[in-house]
Amino acid sequence: MASNSMTCSYKNCDQGKTIKQEDGRVDVRGFHVSKKERKELAADWSEDGLATFHQACWNLLCKSRSGDLEGVKLSKTEAKLIDEATKTAEFHDSEDCFQREADRIADMLKNASYCIGFTGAGISTAAGIGDFRGIHGKWTNNDKVKQYGASSLSSSSTKVVKRNYRLPTYTHEAIVKLMDMNIVKYLISQNTDGLHRLSGIHAEKISELHGNGFQEKCEKCGIRVLRKSNTRDKSSQAKVPALKCPRCKINHRTGNKCQQPGCDGFMMNTIINFGDYLEGPILQAAQDNAEKSDVVLCLGTTLRVTPAADLVVE
């Protein structure tokens, strides 16, 4: 957040109320609550269910859902709010915790015999690309509207995010460095933004399970080509005969034709939509590397989307 400090939403906070930037905190989002209802709650929830807590205060509220614990009595409405908020809660570690965890993870990476990376949409939010399961994620917003109606979304929830697909973040660059150092051997990604390839990761070192918005493939000969613009956005404008996918019902053709001598097939985007099967060779490469791994560095993912998430096991 832009400010140097925040205020804990728990009304009986005994942590000093102020949450400094170096402190640990939890940002959560429940559902729409009327002004009258909010007056009776143990926490200062916003109208659309947003709240920020010290980690200790959040843990206390979570433990209190089943009844009176340490003097905290929650209403049924607030218990439901907390249940809902746990689905997308975002934890921000304190500076001390961050340093300890960084040292612990560094040791794990250095001592791993075969470490792989696994990434999701969260690593690209710093590039201006919205995520899916975060507090204001696309699927989070969709779920809110389906369950609670359009009033569950505030202007901050529905604002248009300016997407800049061509600027890898520090996280993308750090992964490249770890691969150059031979610490991370392979990368599996659920992202379609193309930033991993743009950051310098070679095609043979990555499985982009859900496709790459900047990569086309010929539906006839199978050759793949990286483009400078997002091929997915062009499918609806393609000046070639549309061919709806029998599984996702979307036209994958981009309007380009294959340039391989003697082919002249139609080029398609490589995005895996809901209903599509993951591409066999790409999934197989991911499975092979996952089976060899003893450490998986997971970044920016809730590990809720299958079959991708099934590749990561304890």
Side-chain angles (χ1 to χ4, degrees), residues 257-272:
K257 300 292 287 291
C258 183
Q259 299 301 305
Q260 287 292 101
C263 182
D264 201 38
F266 293 113
M267 300 299 287
M268 306 186 302
N269 69 51
T270 59
I271 300 298
I272 304 297

Side-chain angles (χ1 to χ4, degrees), residues 96-140:
D96 288 343
C97 179
F98 178 83
Q99 292 297 335
R100 289 196 304 271
E101 287 298 288
D103 290 340
R104 184 178 70 87
I105 293 170
D107 286 339
M108 292 177 65
L109 297 180
K110 287 188 292 186
N111 293 320
S113 60
Y114 199 89
C115 174
I116 65 172
F118 188 98
T119 63
I123 71 164
S124 295
T125 55
I129 302 173
D131 61 16
F132 296 95
R133 292 293 179 185
I135 287 179
H136 298 298
K138 180 177 180 179
W139 306 139
T140 300

Side-chain angles (χ1 to χ4, degrees), residues 114 116-118 186-189 204-210 278-293 296 307-308 310-312:
Y114 199 89
I116 65 172
F118 188 98
Y186 194 81
L187 182 64
I188 302 171
S189 181
E204 66 272 14
K205 288 291 186 178
I206 183 173
S207 283
E208 293 177 296
L209 295 179
H210 297 159
L278 271 62
E279 294 193 58
I282 293 175
L283 177 59
Q284 188 61 57
Q287 291 174 331
D288 292 343
N289 281 276
E291 288 174 0
K292 290 191 291 185
S293 68
V296 182
D310 294 336
L311 296 169
V312 182

Side-chain angles (χ1 to χ4, degrees), residues 6-25:
M6 291 142 278
T7 301
C8 180
S9 298
Y10 181 40
K11 293 176 181 177
N12 292 326
C13 170
D14 61 0
Q15 306 291 312
K17 261 310 205 181
T18 298
I19 305 176
K20 298 179 181 179
Q21 202 167 37
E22 63 268 21
D23 295 337
R25 75 177 195 275

Side-chain angles (χ1 to χ4, degrees), residues 109 115-119 123 167-188 194-203 205-206 297 299:
L109 297 180
C115 174
I116 65 172
F118 188 98
T119 63
I123 71 164
L167 292 175
T169 68
Y170 177 79
T171 303
H172 292 89
E173 302 294 347
I175 293 172
V176 173
K177 182 66 175 178
L178 288 172
M179 297 186 83
D180 288 344
M181 296 171 65
N182 203 34
I183 293 175
V184 173
K185 314 293 186 183
Y186 194 81
L187 182 64
I188 302 171
L195 294 182
H196 281 307
R197 292 294 307 280
L198 184 65
S199 67
I201 294 178
H202 297 293
K205 288 291 186 178
I206 183 173
L297 179 64
L299 301 167

